[in-house]
Amino acid sequence: MDFDLIREVVIPNESKIVLLVMDGLGGLPHPKTRRTELETADIPHLDRLAEDGICGLVQHVGVGITPGSGPGHLSLFGYDPLRYRIGRGALEAVGIDFDLGPRDVAARGNFCTVDEGGRVVDRRAGRIDTDTCARLCAELRSIELRPETDQPMAEAGAELFVEPVREHRFLVVLRGDGVSDALSETDPQREGVPPLEVRAESPGAEATAALVRSFVEQARERLRQHHPANMVLLRGFAKPPDMPQFPEVFGLRAAAIAYYPMYRGLAKLAGMTALPAGPSLSDSLASLRENWGRFDFFFVHFKGTDSAGEDGDFHRKVQRLEEVDAFIPDLLALEPEVVMVTGDHSTPSTYRAHSWHPVPFVLRSRWGQPDRAGAFNESVCQQGSLGVFPATEVMPLAMAHAGRFTKYGA
Amino acid sequence: MDFDLIREVVIPNESKIVLLVMDGLGGLPHPKTRRTELETADIPHLDRLAEDGICGLVQHVGVGITPGSGPGHLSLFGYDPLRYRIGRGALEAVGIDFDLGPRDVAARGNFCTVDEGGRVVDRRAGRIDTDTCARLCAELRSIELRPETDQPMAEAGAELFVEPVREHRFLVVLRGDGVSDALSETDPQREGVPPLEVRAESPGAEATAALVRSFVEQARERLRQHHPANMVLLRGFAKPPDMPQFPEVFGLRAAAIAYYPMYRGLAKLAGMTALPAGPSLSDSLASLRENWGRFDFFFVHFKGTDSAGEDGDFHRKVQRLEEVDAFIPDLLALEPEVVMVTGDHSTPSTYRAHSWHPVPFVLRSRWGQPDRAGAFNESVCQQGSLGVFPATEVMPLAMAHAGRFTKYGA
C-alpha cells in the first residue's frame, strides 16, 4: 500500500500493537503422519487465537518466490520488498549489529589465498577460524586510505571500518560524504585468476573506487606474511536503502525485541528502537513488560523455529512451536489492542531451507470480522477471511483494527 | 479496471442491470449472540439471492481503509477511488443537491464569531440555527465580486452562489472560466487569531484568490451587525473531479434512485440521471417501475442500514435489513438480467461508525457460475467464488453477466 495513503489516514491513539514473528514458521507434512509441524504441535493458545481472530496465509514477495530474511521482514513492516532492497554488503553490516548510516558503503569481505603470481588459489583461505579473522581485521583497520587520484571526495577522506563476521568472512565499511555503491566486485568467483580490480560503474563512483583500490593494495601488503589469509576479495557493495521510516509513516513509537543481530538490524534500518533481548521467550517477555508504556508497536522475533527447520529437525520445530504457544497467555495478559502472529517465510523441516510457501497468520482484536479458521496451521489459516494475502497488508490491517486509521474521503 | 479496456469491449443490448446499495451494510457480531446484523435478520429473499447468485466481500479502497461515502460509491461505479477524489467543498455541494459543473469551485463555509480586533472567538458562531444560516446566506448572495487586481479572469467576472447547509455551515461556489481550487483555507482551525487571508497555491489560481478575497471582505462588512455570526471561514476549496462519465464508459443509460442528496449527487457527478425518490422502498420501487423502459442501469440507494449502525442500534439495523428483504421479490418481478446487492462500506452497530471491513455482495444472473455461498451475510459471502474483491470489479462483473461485454482479442 502507498505510504502516502497511509500517512493521509493515520491518526494517533493509545492502542498497543504486537507483531510476533516466528522465523521460518510455515512447514510441510511429515511423510509418515502427513501432518505439518503446526498440525503436529500441541498449541492450544495459538489455536484459540486463530478461533478468536482473523486468519490467512501471508505471501511476502510473490507467488513461488522464497523470501530472504530481509524481504521477509521488511514486507511485514509494510515495505514493498521489490522496491526497498537491502544490498548484500548492507545486510552483512546489519547482521553483525553494525549501525549503517546514509554516509556508509558496506561490502562483504573474504580472506583468500593467492599464489606468488597473485592468482587466487583458495577463495576462502582454508576457512580460517573466527579468532584469526578478528586478528587480521584489527590489522587492516589501521590502514590509511590513500587514493591515487585527486578526486575531491577522496581528498576529504573517508573513515574505514573492518569488522570480523565468521571464519574467513568480514565486513568493510567506508564512511564519507558522497560515497557510492556503484562499484564492481573484486571477487573473480573462481580460482586460478587474480582478484579483479574494482571499477566505478557510474561516474559518481570514481572517488569511492579509488578509496577501495587504496584499501585493497595496502591490504595485500599487510597480509603478505599471513598465508593462507594473504589477500582479500570484496563483493556486494551496498549503501543502506533509502527507506521512509516506520515510526514516521505509521505514527507509531516502534520497538524491536530481537536477540539475533540480523533481525534487530533490519528493524533498526526501518527506524525501530532496539530493546534488550535474550535468547529465550521469557527474556522477550521481560523486555516487553518493562517497555510497555514507552512504545505503541512491538516487533518480537523468535528464531528457534527456523533453526530447527534448517536442521531438518521436525520434532525440534514442533517443540519450538509449543514453547511459543506457552508464551501466548503472558503476551495476552498485557492486553494489546492488536496481536499478530506469523513468520517471515516458511522453513519446512522436510525441505531444510527457506521456502516459498505462504505462511500462517492470525490477527486478534475486538474488531475482527469473525472467520471460519479455528486452528493455527497452514490448511486452516488458508480458509480464513484473509486468504492468501500480501505481507504489505499486515500493517494496514493492524492499524485499522487498532483504530489508528481514519476514514478515507468524506 | 482500465476504462479504455472497458470501452473496447462494451457492446449494446436490451438488458437491465440493478445495483442496490444498502448504506453501511456490513456488520460485526452482537456480543451476546455472536451473530452479525445480517446473521440475525430474517432475510429469506436475500438468502435465496445468495443461493442462486455469486457472492463475495467487496473491498472499496484497500485493506484496512475505511471508505467515506464518496470513495465507497465511486468505486462501486467502477472508478478507482485513489484516482478520482472528491474534495470537501465539492462533496458539500453534492450533499445539498447543488449541481456542480466544470466551471465551478466550491468551498465549505462556516459562520463564525470575531471580536473587535477581528480575532476568531467561536469558529461555529454558537451554532446558529439553520433558519438564521439561510437568512445570512441570502444576504451574502447579493455580494458583487470586485477583485482588487485586474486579472483577466477576474475582469470577466464570476458568478457567486451561497447556500445554507445546516446550523453554522454553508456552501460557497464561484462559477467562471478558469476558476481554480489551488487555494489555501481561511479557517485558522483555532481561536484567538484572525481568519487567514486566502492565498493562491499555484500561479493560475491568483485570479480566483482575488475573487475569494473580495467575497470575504464584503462578507465581513455585511455581517458586522449580525453577532454572533459576524464573519465567515472558508475551507476545502474544490472543483468537481474530472471524471469520465459512467454512461459513456459503460454504454449504459444510467439512473440513480436515491432520496438523500449526497448519494444522488455522487451519481450525478458520474453522469447518471437522478430519478424521483422518496424515503421508503416503495417510493424507490414506484420510480423504478415508472422508468424501467427509459434506462439500462439503476443505482438504488437505501440509507436506513447506515443510520441504524451509526446510532449503535443493532435491532433497528436488523429491522432495516428485513425491510429491504421484503422489497426483493418486487425487484425481481421486473426481471432485470443482473441484480446486485451490496453496500458502500460497513457500519457495524457495535462500532457505531463506518469501518474497513469488506462488505457482503451478491450478483444474480442466469449466467452466474454457482458457488457455495447460500446465505447473505459476512461469513458466508466470504466463502463465495468472488472472495474478497475490489469494488472496481463490480461493474465489469455486471456488464459481463448482462452480455454487454464482447470478446477481448480475436
Side-chain angles (χ1 to χ4, degrees), chain B residues 122-320:
Chain B
D122 182 346
R123 288 180 55 242
R124 296 182 182 84
R127 292 193 187 274
I128 51 168
D129 62 48
T130 304
D131 285 346
T132 308
C133 179
R135 227 173 43 244
L136 294 173
C137 285
E139 170 81 20
L140 298 183
R141 206 171 287 143
S142 62
I143 284 176
E144 280 185 39
L145 300 177
R146 295 185 305 256
E148 74 272 26
T149 71
D150 50 9
Q151 301 276 352
M153 199 266 304
E155 274 175 16
E159 221 174 326
L160 172 70
F161 301 84
V162 186
E163 303 294 336
V165 175
R166 204 175 57 230
E167 297 178 339
H168 57 285
R169 286 167 54 194
F170 63 95
L171 172 77
V172 177
V173 175
L174 300 185
R175 178 172 295 168
D177 293 327
V179 290
S180 168
D181 57 7
L183 300 173
S184 67
E185 312 197 328
T186 77
D187 187 341
Q189 299 284 350
R190 61 195 176 97
E191 295 169 354
V193 295
L196 303 171
E197 174 137 302
V198 72
R199 279 185 310 21
E201 292 180 333
S202 81
E206 288 296 351
T208 316
L211 291 170
V212 173
R213 278 192 292 269
S214 166
F215 171 74
V216 169
E217 284 320 304
Q218 293 181 67
R220 185 197 301 272
E221 292 307 314
R222 296 199 183 206
L223 296 172
R224 200 176 288 281
Q225 306 310 324
H226 291 287
H227 189 278
N230 61 0
M231 185 49 180
V232 296
L233 300 174
L234 302 179
R235 59 206 168 94
F237 289 95
K239 302 190 62 169
D242 185 16
M243 292 157 69
Q245 295 291 282
F246 184 95
E248 177 268 314
V249 173
F250 294 101
L252 294 168
R253 297 171 300 167
I257 301 176
Y259 180 59
Y260 283 74
M262 160 86 83
Y263 312 101
R264 193 163 58 232
L266 287 166
K268 285 197 288 186
L269 280 179
M272 298 185 200
T273 302
L275 296 179
S280 80
L281 284 166
S282 56
D283 298 323
S284 299
L285 189 65
S287 193
L288 207 51
R289 284 185 179 136
E290 193 164 329
N291 294 283
W292 193 248
R294 296 173 52 217
F295 294 93
D296 309 306
F297 174 90
F298 298 86
F299 153 55
V300 181
H301 182 263
F302 178 75
K303 179 69 178 170
T305 31
D306 181 59
S307 312
E310 295 255 9
D311 291 345
D313 192 336
F314 193 97
H315 179 65
R316 199 173 91 224
K317 188 165 174 191
V318 168
Q319 286 180 321
R320 294 290 168 270

Side-chain angles (χ1 to χ4, degrees), chain A residues 36-242:
Chain A
T36 67
E37 297 91 328
L38 276 167
E39 287 167 345
T40 307
D42 182 24
I43 47 171
H45 302 110
L46 286 166
D47 287 342
R48 177 65 196 273
L49 216 53
E51 203 178 315
D52 293 348
I54 57 174
C55 296
L57 295 180
V58 174
Q59 193 148 71
H60 297 77
V61 183
V63 169
I65 305 294
T66 296
S69 298
H73 280 85
L74 287 193
S75 58
L76 288 175
F77 300 158
Y79 296 88
D80 175 355
L82 299 176
R83 171 162 180 193
Y84 299 101
R85 304 181 68 151
I86 302 179
R88 283 176 301 149
L91 198 68
E92 195 83 319
V94 155
I96 60 165
D97 236 349
F98 186 96
D99 275 329
L100 210 58
R103 296 171 63 238
D104 293 344
V105 60
R108 284 185 174 178
N110 268 18
F111 289 107
C112 69
T113 313
V114 293
D115 64 15
E116 325 76 61
R119 287 177 294 268
V120 178
V121 293
D122 182 346
R123 288 180 55 245
R124 295 183 183 82
R127 289 195 187 271
I128 52 168
D129 62 48
T130 305
D131 285 347
T132 308
C133 179
R135 227 174 38 247
L136 294 173
C137 284
E139 171 78 20
L140 298 184
R141 206 171 287 144
S142 62
I143 284 176
E144 281 186 36
L145 300 177
R146 295 187 303 258
E148 75 272 28
T149 70
D150 50 9
Q151 300 276 351
M153 200 264 308
E155 273 174 16
E159 221 174 327
L160 172 71
F161 301 84
V162 186
E163 303 295 336
V165 175
R166 203 175 58 227
E167 299 176 339
H168 56 285
R169 286 166 54 193
F170 64 94
L171 173 77
V172 178
V173 175
L174 301 186
R175 178 172 296 168
D177 293 327
V179 291
S180 169
D181 56 7
L183 299 172
S184 68
E185 311 197 330
T186 77
D187 187 341
Q189 297 285 352
R190 60 196 178 97
E191 294 168 354
V193 294
L196 303 171
E197 174 138 305
V198 73
R199 281 187 298 43
E201 293 180 333
S202 81
E206 288 296 351
T208 315
L211 291 169
V212 173
R213 279 192 291 268
S214 166
F215 171 74
V216 169
E217 284 321 303
Q218 292 182 69
R220 186 197 301 275
E221 292 307 316
R222 298 201 183 201
L223 295 172
R224 199 177 289 280
Q225 307 308 323
H226 292 287
H227 188 280
N230 62 358
M231 186 47 180
V232 296
L233 299 174
L234 302 178
R235 59 206 166 95
F237 289 96
K239 302 190 61 170
D242 184 15

Side-chain angles (χ1 to χ4, degrees), chain A residues 1 5 8-9 51-52 366-372 383-385 393 396-397 400-403 405-410, chain B residues 27-29 57 61-71 81-82 85 91 350-351 354 356-358 378 382-383 388:
Chain A
M1 187 173 293
L5 173 58
E8 184 177 336
V9 296
E51 203 178 315
D52 293 348
R366 65 179 288 213
W367 301 118
Q369 199 173 38
D371 64 18
R372 293 181 169 198
Q383 304 298 315
S385 56
E393 293 180 352
L397 276 172
H401 285 85
F405 273 174
T406 188
K407 236 176 4 188
Y408 169 76
Chain B
L28 285 173
L57 295 180
V61 182
V63 169
I65 303 294
T66 297
S69 298
L82 297 176
R85 305 182 67 154
L91 199 70
T350 53
Y351 195 68
H354 288 208
W356 61 93
H357 305 91
E378 295 80 3
Q382 189 184 288
Q383 305 296 316
V388 178

Side-chain angles (χ1 to χ4, degrees), chain B residues 378-392:
Chain B
E378 295 80 3
S379 56
V380 174
C381 283
Q382 189 184 288
Q383 305 296 316
S385 56
L386 300 170
V388 178
F389 73 106
T392 49

